[in-house]
Amino acid sequence: ELKVEQNPLFLSMQEGKNYTIYCNYSTTSDRLYWYRQDPGKSLESLFVLLSNGAVKQEGRLMASLDTKARLSTLHITAAVHDLSATYFCAVEEETSGSRLTFGEGTQLTVNP
Amino acid sequence: DGGITQSPKYLFRKEGQNVTLSCEQNLNHDAMYWYRQDPGQGLRLIYYSQIVNDFQKGDIAEGYSVSREKKESFPLTVTSAQKNPTAFYLCATRSRDRGPKLFFGSGTQLSVL
């Protein structure tokens, strides 16, 4: 059974600071996804990482994938309040027939 | 606008009652999914369908049923066998041809009266 673990689960940071969220998974995969969820809302796609060494950046967020270590990171640069949300990673197993397994989510609060 | 429509936004279920959550899409996507989200937790897969008239169980299918009679529609029925149905339910779709990304609907909050 595929397990996806995120850490930290809760993150409180000051505006202007940098931090990294980690996503570890337990089986072979080269497809990893990052999503953002605001309270009471649906999920918004942030990044799709499809190969080892993939790096994607959008604004203050940068995601990377290391398939050999079974690890993805979401790096936040110079955080701003608008980034406060819950961030999920999701992993697609190679033999799953298009199923995604989600991590528990990281609840990020950026304080002024 | 185009996309995925989930209805209703809020739904209340009485003891012993079956309720059906609607998911309709006009994106012409092949695959459709139902996820359940409990407070403070990630998403868990209930059922998914990759083509019309075919669907597979996810990780927590017990107490739920689905149908896929049309490409556009993938309704989820929460049966009375599901003893703890209170959760946020999300429908998602995916195109086989236009990339791997999942697109999500706005969700249905189901509560027990």
Side-chain angles (χ1 to χ4, degrees), chain B residues 37-53:
Chain B
Q37 186 178 29
D38 291 280
Q41 296 189 31
L43 280 66
R44 292 183 290 168
L45 183 64
I46 305 172
Y47 269 98
Y48 64 109
S49 168
Q50 297 188 71
I51 55 172
V52 175
N53 293 322

PDB file of all heavy atoms in Angstrom, chain B residues 37-53:
ATOM      1  N   GLN B  37     -12.966  13.917   2.279  1.00  0.00           N
ATOM      2  CA  GLN B  37     -12.018  14.642   3.121  1.00  0.00           C
ATOM      3  C   GLN B  37     -12.652  14.864   4.488  1.00  0.00           C
ATOM      4  O   GLN B  37     -13.703  15.492   4.598  1.00  0.00           O
ATOM      5  CB  GLN B  37     -11.626  15.986   2.496  1.00  0.00           C
ATOM      6  CG  GLN B  37     -10.534  16.704   3.270  1.00  0.00           C
ATOM      7  CD  GLN B  37     -10.115  18.000   2.630  1.00  0.00           C
ATOM      8  OE1 GLN B  37     -10.888  18.665   1.951  1.00  0.00           O
ATOM      9  NE2 GLN B  37      -8.857  18.380   2.834  1.00  0.00           N
ATOM     10  N   ASP B  38     -11.984  14.373   5.525  1.00  0.00           N
ATOM     11  CA  ASP B  38     -12.408  14.623   6.899  1.00  0.00           C
ATOM     12  C   ASP B  38     -11.616  15.810   7.432  1.00  0.00           C
ATOM     13  O   ASP B  38     -10.507  16.099   6.961  1.00  0.00           O
ATOM     14  CB  ASP B  38     -12.194  13.373   7.742  1.00  0.00           C
ATOM     15  CG  ASP B  38     -13.157  12.261   7.325  1.00  0.00           C
ATOM     16  OD1 ASP B  38     -14.315  12.339   7.758  1.00  0.00           O
ATOM     17  OD2 ASP B  38     -12.767  11.374   6.556  1.00  0.00           O
ATOM     18  N   PRO B  39     -12.169  16.502   8.433  1.00  0.00           N
ATOM     19  CA  PRO B  39     -11.517  17.731   8.919  1.00  0.00           C
ATOM     20  C   PRO B  39     -10.055  17.523   9.283  1.00  0.00           C
ATOM     21  O   PRO B  39      -9.729  16.588  10.015  1.00  0.00           O
ATOM     22  CB  PRO B  39     -12.357  18.110  10.141  1.00  0.00           C
ATOM     23  CG  PRO B  39     -13.688  17.520   9.874  1.00  0.00           C
ATOM     24  CD  PRO B  39     -13.432  16.237   9.129  1.00  0.00           C
ATOM     25  N   GLY B  40      -9.210  18.388   8.782  1.00  0.00           N
ATOM     26  CA  GLY B  40      -7.791  18.336   9.104  1.00  0.00           C
ATOM     27  C   GLY B  40      -7.053  17.167   8.502  1.00  0.00           C
ATOM     28  O   GLY B  40      -5.923  16.867   8.917  1.00  0.00           O
ATOM     29  N   GLN B  41      -7.656  16.511   7.534  1.00  0.00           N
ATOM     30  CA  GLN B  41      -7.004  15.340   6.944  1.00  0.00           C
ATOM     31  C   GLN B  41      -6.890  15.467   5.431  1.00  0.00           C
ATOM     32  O   GLN B  41      -7.464  16.370   4.816  1.00  0.00           O
ATOM     33  CB  GLN B  41      -7.798  14.075   7.299  1.00  0.00           C
ATOM     34  CG  GLN B  41      -7.817  13.794   8.786  1.00  0.00           C
ATOM     35  CD  GLN B  41      -8.403  12.438   9.080  1.00  0.00           C
ATOM     36  OE1 GLN B  41      -8.290  11.501   8.284  1.00  0.00           O
ATOM     37  NE2 GLN B  41      -9.027  12.314  10.237  1.00  0.00           N
ATOM     38  N   GLY B  42      -6.161  14.529   4.864  1.00  0.00           N
ATOM     39  CA  GLY B  42      -6.017  14.496   3.416  1.00  0.00           C
ATOM     40  C   GLY B  42      -7.227  13.877   2.745  1.00  0.00           C
ATOM     41  O   GLY B  42      -8.248  13.605   3.382  1.00  0.00           O
ATOM     42  N   LEU B  43      -7.112  13.658   1.455  1.00  0.00           N
ATOM     43  CA  LEU B  43      -8.207  13.104   0.676  1.00  0.00           C
ATOM     44  C   LEU B  43      -8.046  11.582   0.563  1.00  0.00           C
ATOM     45  O   LEU B  43      -6.938  11.090   0.355  1.00  0.00           O
ATOM     46  CB  LEU B  43      -8.203  13.695  -0.732  1.00  0.00           C
ATOM     47  CG  LEU B  43      -8.814  15.080  -0.917  1.00  0.00           C
ATOM     48  CD1 LEU B  43      -8.032  16.154  -0.196  1.00  0.00           C
ATOM     49  CD2 LEU B  43      -8.930  15.400  -2.391  1.00  0.00           C
ATOM     50  N   ARG B  44      -9.166  10.889   0.682  1.00  0.00           N
ATOM     51  CA  ARG B  44      -9.143   9.437   0.503  1.00  0.00           C
ATOM     52  C   ARG B  44     -10.065   9.053  -0.647  1.00  0.00           C
ATOM     53  O   ARG B  44     -11.181   9.553  -0.745  1.00  0.00           O
ATOM     54  CB  ARG B  44      -9.568   8.731   1.803  1.00  0.00           C
ATOM     55  CG  ARG B  44      -8.559   8.902   2.939  1.00  0.00           C
ATOM     56  CD  ARG B  44      -8.985   8.135   4.164  1.00  0.00           C
ATOM     57  NE  ARG B  44     -10.152   8.734   4.802  1.00  0.00           N
ATOM     58  CZ  ARG B  44     -10.873   8.128   5.753  1.00  0.00           C
ATOM     59  NH1 ARG B  44     -10.561   6.910   6.148  1.00  0.00           N
ATOM     60  NH2 ARG B  44     -11.901   8.755   6.291  1.00  0.00           N
ATOM     61  N   LEU B  45      -9.603   8.150  -1.485  1.00  0.00           N
ATOM     62  CA  LEU B  45     -10.312   7.787  -2.701  1.00  0.00           C
ATOM     63  C   LEU B  45     -11.440   6.811  -2.411  1.00  0.00           C
ATOM     64  O   LEU B  45     -11.211   5.756  -1.802  1.00  0.00           O
ATOM     65  CB  LEU B  45      -9.327   7.181  -3.697  1.00  0.00           C
ATOM     66  CG  LEU B  45      -9.869   6.794  -5.059  1.00  0.00           C
ATOM     67  CD1 LEU B  45     -10.364   8.026  -5.817  1.00  0.00           C
ATOM     68  CD2 LEU B  45      -8.794   6.074  -5.865  1.00  0.00           C
ATOM     69  N   ILE B  46     -12.644   7.144  -2.885  1.00  0.00           N
ATOM     70  CA  ILE B  46     -13.810   6.290  -2.674  1.00  0.00           C
ATOM     71  C   ILE B  46     -14.020   5.382  -3.887  1.00  0.00           C
ATOM     72  O   ILE B  46     -14.028   4.160  -3.769  1.00  0.00           O
ATOM     73  CB  ILE B  46     -15.081   7.136  -2.435  1.00  0.00           C
ATOM     74  CG1 ILE B  46     -14.877   8.120  -1.287  1.00  0.00           C
ATOM     75  CG2 ILE B  46     -16.263   6.220  -2.137  1.00  0.00           C
ATOM     76  CD1 ILE B  46     -16.023   9.119  -1.134  1.00  0.00           C
ATOM     77  N   TYR B  47     -14.239   5.964  -5.040  1.00  0.00           N
ATOM     78  CA  TYR B  47     -14.421   5.255  -6.301  1.00  0.00           C
ATOM     79  C   TYR B  47     -13.806   6.085  -7.417  1.00  0.00           C
ATOM     80  O   TYR B  47     -13.693   7.300  -7.307  1.00  0.00           O
ATOM     81  CB  TYR B  47     -15.911   5.068  -6.617  1.00  0.00           C
ATOM     82  CG  TYR B  47     -16.545   3.807  -6.103  1.00  0.00           C
ATOM     83  CD1 TYR B  47     -17.271   3.816  -4.914  1.00  0.00           C
ATOM     84  CD2 TYR B  47     -16.444   2.612  -6.802  1.00  0.00           C
ATOM     85  CE1 TYR B  47     -17.875   2.666  -4.431  1.00  0.00           C
ATOM     86  CE2 TYR B  47     -17.043   1.453  -6.330  1.00  0.00           C
ATOM     87  CZ  TYR B  47     -17.756   1.483  -5.145  1.00  0.00           C
ATOM     88  OH  TYR B  47     -18.360   0.340  -4.671  1.00  0.00           O
ATOM     89  N   TYR B  48     -13.464   5.408  -8.516  1.00  0.00           N
ATOM     90  CA  TYR B  48     -13.058   6.129  -9.705  1.00  0.00           C
ATOM     91  C   TYR B  48     -13.486   5.376 -10.949  1.00  0.00           C
ATOM     92  O   TYR B  48     -13.742   4.162 -10.906  1.00  0.00           O
ATOM     93  CB  TYR B  48     -11.556   6.424  -9.713  1.00  0.00           C
ATOM     94  CG  TYR B  48     -10.641   5.226  -9.757  1.00  0.00           C
ATOM     95  CD1 TYR B  48      -9.915   4.932 -10.912  1.00  0.00           C
ATOM     96  CD2 TYR B  48     -10.453   4.422  -8.641  1.00  0.00           C
ATOM     97  CE1 TYR B  48      -9.043   3.862 -10.947  1.00  0.00           C
ATOM     98  CE2 TYR B  48      -9.591   3.343  -8.674  1.00  0.00           C
ATOM     99  CZ  TYR B  48      -8.876   3.066  -9.825  1.00  0.00           C
ATOM    100  OH  TYR B  48      -8.015   1.993  -9.855  1.00  0.00           O
ATOM    101  N   SER B  49     -13.570   6.121 -12.045  1.00  0.00           N
ATOM    102  CA  SER B  49     -14.037   5.563 -13.307  1.00  0.00           C
ATOM    103  C   SER B  49     -13.156   6.122 -14.417  1.00  0.00           C
ATOM    104  O   SER B  49     -13.005   7.332 -14.532  1.00  0.00           O
ATOM    105  CB  SER B  49     -15.490   5.954 -13.548  1.00  0.00           C
ATOM    106  OG  SER B  49     -15.880   5.667 -14.871  1.00  0.00           O
ATOM    107  N   GLN B  50     -12.619   5.234 -15.227  1.00  0.00           N
ATOM    108  CA  GLN B  50     -11.749   5.696 -16.313  1.00  0.00           C
ATOM    109  C   GLN B  50     -12.489   5.778 -17.640  1.00  0.00           C
ATOM    110  O   GLN B  50     -12.040   6.474 -18.563  1.00  0.00           O
ATOM    111  CB  GLN B  50     -10.534   4.779 -16.423  1.00  0.00           C
ATOM    112  CG  GLN B  50      -9.688   4.823 -15.157  1.00  0.00           C
ATOM    113  CD  GLN B  50      -8.388   4.084 -15.305  1.00  0.00           C
ATOM    114  OE1 GLN B  50      -7.491   4.532 -16.021  1.00  0.00           O
ATOM    115  NE2 GLN B  50      -8.249   2.957 -14.623  1.00  0.00           N
ATOM    116  N   ILE B  51     -13.589   5.033 -17.758  1.00  0.00           N
ATOM    117  CA  ILE B  51     -14.406   5.096 -18.969  1.00  0.00           C
ATOM    118  C   ILE B  51     -15.868   4.877 -18.596  1.00  0.00           C
ATOM    119  O   ILE B  51     -16.168   4.365 -17.499  1.00  0.00           O
ATOM    120  CB  ILE B  51     -13.994   4.048 -20.023  1.00  0.00           C
ATOM    121  CG1 ILE B  51     -14.024   2.635 -19.415  1.00  0.00           C
ATOM    122  CG2 ILE B  51     -12.632   4.338 -20.606  1.00  0.00           C
ATOM    123  CD1 ILE B  51     -13.830   1.548 -20.434  1.00  0.00           C
ATOM    124  N   VAL B  52     -16.743   5.204 -19.508  1.00  0.00           N
ATOM    125  CA  VAL B  52     -18.175   5.011 -19.285  1.00  0.00           C
ATOM    126  C   VAL B  52     -18.473   3.535 -19.044  1.00  0.00           C
ATOM    127  O   VAL B  52     -17.848   2.666 -19.632  1.00  0.00           O
ATOM    128  CB  VAL B  52     -18.969   5.546 -20.496  1.00  0.00           C
ATOM    129  CG1 VAL B  52     -20.454   5.250 -20.342  1.00  0.00           C
ATOM    130  CG2 VAL B  52     -18.750   7.032 -20.656  1.00  0.00           C
ATOM    131  N   ASN B  53     -19.420   3.292 -18.143  1.00  0.00           N
ATOM    132  CA  ASN B  53     -19.890   1.944 -17.799  1.00  0.00           C
ATOM    133  C   ASN B  53     -18.840   1.082 -17.112  1.00  0.00           C
ATOM    134  O   ASN B  53     -18.959  -0.157 -17.093  1.00  0.00           O
ATOM    135  CB  ASN B  53     -20.437   1.211 -19.028  1.00  0.00           C
ATOM    136  CG  ASN B  53     -21.708   1.839 -19.549  1.00  0.00           C
ATOM    137  OD1 ASN B  53     -22.553   2.286 -18.772  1.00  0.00           O
ATOM    138  ND2 ASN B  53     -21.835   1.900 -20.855  1.00  0.00           N
TER     139      ASN B  53
END
